[in-house]
Amino acid sequence: MESDKSNAELLDSWPSYEESLEEWHKRSDERRWFSAWIENDFTTDVLKKITLPVNEDGLRHLDVGSGEGKACCELLEVTLKQHPKVVCRSVEPMAGEQQKFKDLVKERDLGGVTFEFVEQTTEEYEKRPNVAADKKFHLITLLQMIIVVDDIEKTIMHYHDNEMEKGSVMVITLAADETPTRLCEPIVAELQKVQLKFSADVRQVLERNHLNYTQKLIPYRIDVTNCFDDSSRQGELLLEMVTIVPEFGKRAGSDVKKKVLDVLESCSKTENDKIYATFGFDIPLPKDIALADDRMKKKYYGNNVKVFLHQWREGNDHNRSKVKTLEVSYPERRKQRERNRFSASSF
């Protein structure tokens, strides 16, 4: 790795970040899958598990790494059907992305939402001086931002310990382990500005904190045709997002680029003269457990759409709730791989 830079320094050193992100969204159907989860499952999987009382000010929602706000707005639209008043605090370090969020709010029917916009990285936000006195949140969402945080466990446990209380729910979404981005990491490690985090890293944090879960993989596709065209600016921008390497086209040698393209090709198929690479996100499904020690006297849930979801409730080892049996449908190849993994270790 070139250097041990922070999240903020990564963004500062990535002049085309917003342009690259826009190209990623344009070529990907990731949002379609996320929107389907919001429409079909968000109320059941998340909102109905919030038991922290909601006062006259409304449900408090903290969204960290909001970007341009499209995902957050979709969540809010569904939330308003259950809670007519919502206070949404958005934490986003990129001024341009936050302005897009503010512009989007004007276009959406979100009249019941009071917004608080904070222009900071998560690390800056976690160190704010009034954190202890601040009101707790009913819902915390960390959507696709964990991948570049400075300290994944510190960040997750900060929100767990300082921003939540009994009856709150936190949702974490993150790329699956076997995406092209993860497979390319050994190839481009010397060029990356930060140590990337993936689903396995979140699992380790959850396991250390005694969160049991099962999971399934939901794939989505990206049109990477332009990545194989050396003259394509769009292809260069996509490769920056695939590898999380700023200015990849300028900084990567021909040998490194060839290896990255080989990985993309191995994860792709051609349809109608277009090349589609398969990416994916993990969906942890709930396992209800109760823990005995004082710090962990809660029930946890893991769930959904690139999502790790957990909820605070009281409980102990002598008074466990019944665990619901959930059927998980895996693609056949991954099913066998998961059987092998589960036989070697228990999550």
Side-chain angles (χ1 to χ4, degrees), residues 16-60:
S16 57
Y17 171 77
E18 293 183 45
E19 194 178 0
S20 297
L21 184 62
E22 183 178 353
E23 187 66 23
W24 174 276
H25 288 318
K26 184 186 302 182
R27 305 293 176 184
S28 166
D29 64 2
E30 177 186 12
R31 280 179 166 169
R32 177 167 64 87
W33 285 103
F34 189 68
S35 295
W37 172 73
I38 293 173
E39 180 180 351
N40 298 322
D41 301 312
F42 178 66
T43 298
T44 300
D45 292 342
V46 180
L47 293 180
K48 289 187 176 180
K49 290 186 168 69
I50 296 173
T51 60
L52 179 65
V54 178
N55 63 24
E56 64 276 6
D57 294 330
L59 181 140
R60 290 178 55 78

Side-chain angles (χ1 to χ4, degrees), residues 141-202:
T141 47
L142 313 178
L143 308 180
Q144 292 297 79
M145 51 75 67
I146 286 287
I147 191 169
V148 293
V149 298
D150 295 346
D151 185 325
I152 187 171
E153 184 151 13
K154 182 179 178 181
T155 288
I156 290 174
M157 296 314 297
H158 163 82
Y159 290 108
H160 175 275
D161 293 342
N162 298 297
E163 314 283 357
M164 302 174 68
E165 58 183 312
K166 186 177 70 174
S168 300
V169 170
M170 177 164 61
V171 179
I172 303 171
T173 76
L174 195 62
D177 298 329
E178 298 175 21
T179 61
T181 298
R182 179 62 181 266
L183 298 176
C184 287
E185 188 181 23
I187 302 170
V188 299
E190 293 300 318
L191 301 175
Q192 288 173 333
K193 304 283 187 178
V194 295
Q195 181 67 50
L196 302 184
K197 319 300 189 300
F198 295 92
S199 179
D201 301 300
V202 173

Side-chain angles (χ1 to χ4, degrees), residues 299-314:
K299 290 180 184 176
Y300 288 93
Y301 296 82
N303 208 20
N304 231 317
V305 163
K306 328 177 234 185
V307 164
F308 294 91
L309 166 65
H310 77 259
Q311 177 186 26
W312 273 29
R313 288 184 182 173
E314 293 179 342

